[in-house]
Amino acid sequence: MDLYEHQARQLFEEHGIPVPPAEVTDSPKEARGIARRLGGRAVVKAQVRTGGRGKAGGVRLAADPAAAELTARQILGMDIKGHRVGAVMLARPVDIEAEYYVSYVLDRAAGGFLAIASAEGGTDIEEVAASRPEAVARIPVDPAEGVTSAKAGEIAEAAGLPPRTVDALVRLWQVLVAEDALLVEVNPLVRTPQGHILALDGKVTLDDNARFRQERWGADTPASGDPLEAAAAAKGLDYVRLDGEVGVIGNGAGLVMSTLDVVAGCGARPANFLDIGGGASARVMADGLSVVLADPAVKSVLVNVFGGITACDTVAEGIVQALESVRLTKPLVVRLDGNNAARGRAVLDRRAHPRVEQATTMDGAARRAAQLATDA
């Protein structure tokens, strides 16, 4: 369940993470009144469950209430990566002295969570990781221990964040635990000239398995404005559509996030986030491949799997069976590592599909997938 930004900031506020005053509307006329209540100037932000709103023109500054009404009218109804804008959020502008990135994400492969943080927030974290990987800290979090003040201090120090962010890091973890989240992200978390720490933008993904505990978000929450995301959700897949050309499938959110970073570092753009979780049966692989291949922007597909409870030979058998039901129209690069990796590679070698290639390392697989996408 991906929440809208205004829903994510509601959770932040409930857990004591400061956010700027804001209101949501689907009416341009009402946007004028909201801007007036916010003091005149307002940031008008499209409410869609996808990234890249700013680049698409879905985030704009309005100088006065009249401009807020006009801006809301222009943004409402926009199409952003297949998502139709049905509402906008108007927020009070904030003077910014520094911007940071912080998130917690489920890492199924490691059996825990991963804290990802950087002192270079406000931009795509993939771009930062590609250009300056040392600027992005990745700290494992034991779910049994959680994020204490000491752990938050460790994360802040590793990422180069100021001590004032420690409280926000602790409270962000509380959001994840209390709200059954798989991902909580703030980009940017900002420091004002007065030294205040505020969350200006947020993303929260809740666990579908805990939907019975999250009924307050209503039946609309699981739905997606993107047809591919809706199709994936109907198949029970954890899929987020991005704006690149390399389809990515992996087992474990942390592994998939790392794969996205490596693909970006090879000069290509990931087309999606798709976590098949701990199991990679033929049905799961077929469903995943069918969704990824249905994206016309995809030029190549990278499957990156670390065998754990589900061994690599089982994953490979799933891929082979999936190829019987899914017409492979794009080149597929497979990297298998971990439990029974050699057996898994042998299974794919025996199948010898002309569009399937193998790589032994994640870097090598990403480079090849990026090259195939570029040459397509």
Side-chain angles (χ1 to χ4, degrees):
M1 289 187 278
D2 287 331
L3 300 187
Y4 288 106
E5 178 195 2
H6 69 271
Q7 295 171 326
R9 74 187 304 282
Q10 178 183 335
L11 290 181
F12 296 162
E13 197 168 21
E14 290 175 1
H15 289 271
I17 301 172
V19 296
E23 297 182 43
V24 180
T25 183
D26 59 3
S27 164
K29 184 176 181 180
E30 188 176 350
R32 178 189 287 255
I34 293 174
R36 188 178 296 113
R37 288 193 292 274
L38 292 174
R41 297 171 68 242
V43 180
V44 186
K45 310 178 75 175
Q47 294 301 284
V48 287
R49 300 185 182 100
T50 187
R53 294 174 301 166
K55 294 179 181 179
V59 179
R60 307 180 195 175
L61 177 64
D64 53 49
E69 178 178 350
L70 176 62
T71 302
R73 193 178 305 278
Q74 293 169 339
I75 292 178
L76 287 166
M78 284 180 61
D79 182 279
I80 300 178
K81 297 181 183 178
H83 297 252
R84 182 184 176 278
V85 180
V88 294
M89 184 181 78
L90 287 84
R92 181 177 295 164
V94 173
D95 291 330
I96 299 172
E97 188 171 82
E99 296 181 311
Y100 315 115
Y101 173 94
V102 296
S103 70
Y104 298 113
V105 62
L106 176 64
D107 186 352
R108 287 191 177 95
F113 284 85
L114 190 66
I116 303 175
S118 175
E120 299 185 18
T123 59
D124 292 339
I125 195 63
E126 292 87 358
E127 294 180 5
V128 177
S131 60
R132 298 188 62 244
E134 72 279 2
V136 181
R138 296 174 174 83
I139 308 296
V141 176
D142 184 340
E145 298 178 3
V147 177
T148 61
S149 294
K151 186 67 175 183
E154 176 189 343
I155 296 168
E157 182 177 1
L161 308 183
R164 285 177 179 265
T165 61
V166 167
D167 182 67
L169 288 169
V170 172
R171 294 179 184 274
L172 192 65
W173 175 259
Q174 293 170 355
V175 172
L176 182 140
V177 174
E179 308 299 336
D180 299 304
L182 301 176
L183 166 71
V184 291
E185 175 187 86
V186 181
N187 188 27
L189 182 72
V190 305
R191 184 181 73 239
T192 70
Q194 295 76 32
H196 301 305
I197 300 295
L198 300 174
L200 292 199
D201 197 351
K203 177 177 174 59
V204 174
T205 300
L206 306 181
D207 187 348
D208 280 338
N209 295 310
R211 190 175 297 173
F212 68 96
R213 286 198 295 261
Q214 302 297 335
E215 293 180 348
R216 64 168 165 162
W217 302 118
D220 175 63
T221 298
S224 172
D226 184 283
L228 287 180
E229 291 186 356
K235 297 175 185 293
L237 296 173
D238 188 6
Y239 170 92
V240 178
R241 191 176 186 181
L242 304 174
D243 57 356
E245 59 281 339
V246 177
V248 176
I249 302 175
N251 64 330
L255 179 62
V256 179
M257 289 287 286
S258 297
T259 306
L260 301 184
D261 290 345
V262 175
V263 168
C266 293
R269 297 176 302 163
N272 65 272
F273 171 105
L274 176 52
D275 175 15
I276 58 175
S281 66
R283 183 72 266 156
V284 171
M285 287 304 307
D287 288 344
L289 282 172
S290 65
V291 170
V292 171
L293 292 171
D295 184 349
V298 168
K299 305 301 181 185
S300 68
V301 181
L302 169 58
V303 175
N304 186 18
V305 170
F306 186 86
I309 296 176
T310 302
C312 288
D313 55 340
T314 302
V315 175
E317 292 286 359
I319 294 174
V320 168
Q321 293 179 46
L323 292 174
E324 301 301 322
S325 59
V326 177
R327 181 170 174 266
L328 190 59
T329 57
K330 312 288 173 59
L332 175 68
V333 181
V334 181
R335 177 257 186 172
L336 300 175
D337 196 6
N339 187 11
N340 286 353
R343 294 182 184 178
R345 296 186 196 114
V347 168
L348 294 178
D349 284 339
R350 286 195 296 271
R351 176 61 176 82
H353 192 287
R355 286 187 174 270
V356 177
E357 300 184 20
Q358 294 195 66
T360 57
T361 67
M362 181 163 67
D363 288 347
R367 280 195 301 271
R368 183 56 179 156
Q371 179 185 5
L372 290 167
T374 301
D375 294 343

